[in-house]
Amino acid sequence: MVARYREIKHSIQEDILSQRYRVGEKIPSERELAVQYGVTRVTLQKAMNLLEQEGFIERIHGKGMFVTKVIEDNVYMLNSGTGDSILGFSREFGQQAKITSQLISHQLILAPQPIAGQLEMQANQQVHFIRRVRLIDDVPVLIEDSWINSEVIAAIPETVLEHGSLYQYIEELTGKKIKFYNSVIEGDLFSKDLADLLSIAAGLPMLKVSGVTKLEDGTAFNYSVSYNRADMFKIKNSWVGK
Amino acid sequence: MVARYREIKHSIQEDILSQRYRVGEKIPSERELAVQYGVTRVTLQKAMNLLEQEGFIERIHGKGMFVTKVIEDNVYMLNSGTGDSILGFSREFGQQAKITSQLISHQLILAPQPIAGQLEMQANQQVHFIRRVRLIDDVPVLIEDSWINSEVIAAIPETVLEHGSLYQYIEELTGKKIKFYNSVIEGDLFSKDLADLLSIAAGLPMLKVSGVTKLEDGTAFNYSVSYNRADMFKIKNSWVGK
DNA sequence: TAGTGGTCTAGACCACCTG
DNA sequence: AGGTGGTCTAGACCACTAG
């Protein structure tokens, strides 16, 4: 069951990305688009709200809707809290570059207290602990540690960890979509052991992103921390007043 | 003109903050709340969407709506892209601590090329350049550079820069609300000159946040860059699937 | 089966902007 | 005045969860 407003959102998003609607240009009014897509304004507005939140368009009361000028960049953008693809590193960048993973560690451990809390588990339960180095075009760019509730995901094939998308595997295994990602961004310096994994010098700056991932039924199944080379990543962020 | 769904959002937000609805607890259903507030479900849902995006509640299909467990912290949180108060440092933290500013520089200059681009200005126009050190309880915690289109804001009293909220001043002066804030988060190390302004050592980690601010009529009036001590700030971020 | 959130319709009126 | 986005109503049906 795909919601109509999501289809419309993707359709208009494509029209923007393919330059059918040009940067800075006015796009048709809500009323026109509603007729085009055969829906009511309310439904169309839900689509436009998404496009606005994700920074594709700007809406100005009384004037109309305009395609946002997009700023290109030479570093990788982590789209925080927007888009369809906060759903893991593989799916986010797999289109534009060659993504690989190097599995450093994968073991079942007793959940450490703070992580059990984040995952809303009882104490003394087991979690998968996974440490991976992620590479873009064979350059190691970040380290990702994941703690995954083993009662939700019993087994994780190493082939998924090395070559596939963990989140995609989990969506297929559980039959539920990933719904929620709550993260905190911090700045820090690379310690020696982390720096060694990336073959860089200790003391270089990093962006640390940590957060809980939940399924659509509310189950918290994953807590992860990623240590990103600050010279290779930025995080984009957009706020639209109400 | 205050929208009804925003009033309802604030009302329920208050009920959560005041523990009238407890952490983890189920709150009344959409249909019940709609009756309580005398609105239709559509309007009530707009309120709940905001609360969900801002991390106050979780909604689970078929089950209900629940108050999110809030994670307290010992550092200052910059709520990226959520809440009512991305609107400047003063208004964000003025409630919980003593905020002061130290004005380092304030001059009219010709807009440098990249900044003129961000502000959608013609070349050779003047902007205010403002550098301030911000202090929380007399501890310098960040440096903020602002470039402000002088055609939008002709004059900026130094008393505002030293003691008031710049954004509040601009909203009152123009009679328009601030609507849009598009930012990019980066990690870096403090250079010597910036570190000196904060009386810290060079080479410590920072979170750098830069972005454009617009009024509700679409006017880009401000471009700013802030250099935040990474040991004192985190950025909170929440993504909710559609 | 009953209750919940998720989506959608077909209208209406308001507030803002431009000519 | 006419067009635009912003808000709201009073319904309806669907999909998911629980007992």
Side-chain angles (χ1 to χ4, degrees):
Chain A
M1 182 58 188
V2 182
R4 190 80 181 97
Y5 73 88
R6 238 175 295 167
E7 293 177 347
I8 296 170
K9 181 251 177 185
H10 284 120
S11 167
I12 297 177
Q13 180 175 334
E14 270 314 302
D15 287 344
I16 292 172
L17 293 177
S18 69
Q19 316 254 345
R20 201 166 155 282
Y21 298 136
R22 302 273 173 72
V23 159
E25 215 176 57
K26 189 166 184 285
I27 68 180
S29 72
E30 293 184 352
R31 286 166 179 84
E32 283 180 73
L33 290 171
V35 171
Q36 269 187 41
Y37 285 99
V39 295
T40 56
R41 267 185 75 206
V42 177
T43 300
L44 191 107
Q45 283 173 331
K46 289 185 76 169
M48 303 320 279
N49 285 338
L50 291 180
L51 288 171
E52 184 182 35
Q53 280 172 21
E54 298 180 20
F56 288 101
I57 63 164
E58 292 181 40
R59 306 161 96 180
I60 303 176
H61 197 162
K63 287 189 186 166
M65 305 188 286
F66 303 84
V67 178
T68 306
K69 319 152 295 329
V70 180
I71 304 145
E72 294 301 327
D73 228 328
N74 56 342
V75 297
Y76 291 95
M77 279 280 177
L78 299 169
N79 295 356
S80 86
T82 64
D84 312 293
S85 56
I86 205 70
L87 304 174
F89 190 68
S90 307
R91 282 197 271 180
E92 179 123 22
F93 295 109
Q95 316 279 329
Q96 43 183 305
K98 178 182 153 204
I99 301 298
T100 48
S101 297
Q102 190 184 332
L103 183 58
I104 305 295
S105 172
H106 177 199
Q107 44 189 310
L108 275 171
I109 61 172
L110 285 180
Q113 194 30 249
I115 282 150
Q118 294 279 358
L119 294 180
E120 302 167 20
M121 305 165 53
Q122 308 303 325
N124 290 333
Q125 286 190 347
Q126 283 194 316
V127 293
H128 297 272
F129 170 73
I130 297 159
R131 167 166 285 185
R132 287 180 291 176
V133 172
R134 304 300 208 114
L135 307 90
I136 296 182
D137 292 330
D138 298 318
V139 178
V141 295
L142 67 88
I143 296 153
E144 181 168 15
D145 290 342
S146 302
W147 290 262
I148 295 177
N149 189 334
S150 64
E151 301 213 330
V152 182
I153 313 293
I156 304 173
E158 302 222 329
T159 156
V160 168
L161 296 178
E162 300 242 323
H163 305 103
S165 163
L166 178 55
Y167 285 178
Q168 190 172 319
Y169 170 74
I170 287 172
E171 286 189 350
E172 286 165 6
L173 183 73
T174 62
K176 295 177 194 298
K177 293 215 166 148
I178 287 162
K179 202 208 173 175
F180 185 77
Y181 183 60
N182 190 2
S183 68
V184 173
I185 300 159
E186 300 168 78
D188 206 345
L189 309 180
F190 273 106
S191 63
K192 174 121 186 22
D193 51 326
L194 290 178
D196 285 348
L197 286 171
L198 298 181
S199 306
I200 57 174
L204 287 177
M206 71 160 68
L207 278 176
K208 178 178 163 186
V209 181
S210 41
V212 175
T213 320
K214 296 191 180 183
L215 298 174
E216 58 186 341
D217 66 358
T219 312
F221 69 94
N222 172 59
Y223 180 76
S224 69
V225 181
S226 73
Y227 306 92
N228 306 271
R229 282 179 60 165
D231 60 338
M232 302 198 66
F233 290 97
K234 297 182 183 183
I235 297 172
K236 191 160 81 181
N237 221 105
S238 183
W239 179 83
V240 181
K242 284 156 282 292
Chain B
M1 181 59 187
V2 182
R4 189 80 181 97
Y5 74 87
R6 239 174 296 166
E7 292 177 347
I8 295 170
K9 181 252 177 184
H10 283 120
S11 167
I12 297 178
Q13 180 175 334
E14 271 314 301
D15 287 343
I16 292 172
L17 292 177
S18 70
Q19 319 253 345
R20 201 166 153 282
Y21 298 134
R22 301 271 173 74
V23 160
E25 213 175 61
K26 188 164 184 284
I27 68 178
S29 73
E30 294 183 351
R31 286 166 177 84
E32 283 180 73
L33 290 171
V35 171
Q36 268 187 40
Y37 285 101
V39 295
T40 58
R41 266 185 77 207
V42 178
T43 301
L44 190 108
Q45 282 173 331
K46 291 185 74 167
M48 304 321 278
N49 285 338
L50 291 180
L51 288 171
E52 184 181 35
Q53 281 172 22
E54 297 180 20
F56 288 101
I57 64 165
E58 291 181 41
R59 307 161 95 179
I60 303 177
H61 196 161
K63 288 189 187 167
M65 305 186 287
F66 303 83
V67 178
T68 307
K69 325 152 291 332
V70 181
I71 304 145
E72 293 300 327
D73 229 325
N74 57 342
V75 298
Y76 291 97
M77 280 280 179
L78 299 168
N79 295 359
S80 87
T82 63
D84 312 296
S85 55
I86 205 68
L87 303 173
F89 190 68
S90 305
R91 281 197 271 180
E92 180 123 21
F93 294 108
Q95 317 279 327
Q96 44 183 304
K98 178 182 154 204
I99 301 297
T100 49
S101 298
Q102 189 184 332
L103 183 58
I104 306 294
S105 172
H106 177 200
Q107 43 189 311
L108 274 172
I109 62 172
L110 285 181
Q113 193 32 248
I115 283 150
Q118 294 278 358
L119 294 180
E120 301 168 20
M121 305 166 54
Q122 309 302 325
N124 290 332
Q125 287 190 348
Q126 283 194 316
V127 293
H128 298 272
F129 170 73
I130 297 160
R131 167 166 283 186
R132 287 180 292 176
V133 171
R134 305 298 209 115
L135 306 91
I136 297 182
D137 293 330
D138 298 318
V139 178
V141 294
L142 68 88
I143 296 152
E144 182 168 15
D145 290 342
S146 303
W147 290 263
I148 295 176
N149 188 332
S150 63
E151 300 212 331
V152 182
I153 313 293
I156 304 173
E158 303 223 328
T159 157
V160 169
L161 296 177
E162 301 239 320
H163 304 103
S165 162
L166 179 55
Y167 285 179
Q168 188 170 322
Y169 170 74
I170 287 171
E171 285 190 350
E172 286 166 4
L173 184 71
T174 62
K176 295 176 195 298
K177 292 212 169 153
I178 287 161
K179 200 206 175 178
F180 185 78
Y181 183 59
N182 189 2
S183 67
V184 174
I185 300 161
E186 299 169 80
D188 206 345
L189 308 180
F190 273 106
S191 63
K192 173 116 186 26
D193 52 326
L194 290 178
D196 285 350
L197 286 171
L198 298 181
S199 304
I200 59 174
L204 287 176
M206 69 159 71
L207 278 175
K208 178 177 162 186
V209 182
S210 40
V212 175
T213 320
K214 296 190 180 185
L215 298 174
E216 59 186 341
D217 65 358
T219 312
F221 70 93
N222 172 58
Y223 180 76
S224 68
V225 181
S226 73
Y227 306 93
N228 306 270
R229 282 181 59 165
D231 59 338
M232 302 197 68
F233 289 97
K234 297 182 183 183
I235 297 173
K236 190 160 79 182
N237 223 101
S238 184
W239 179 83
V240 181
K242 285 158 283 292

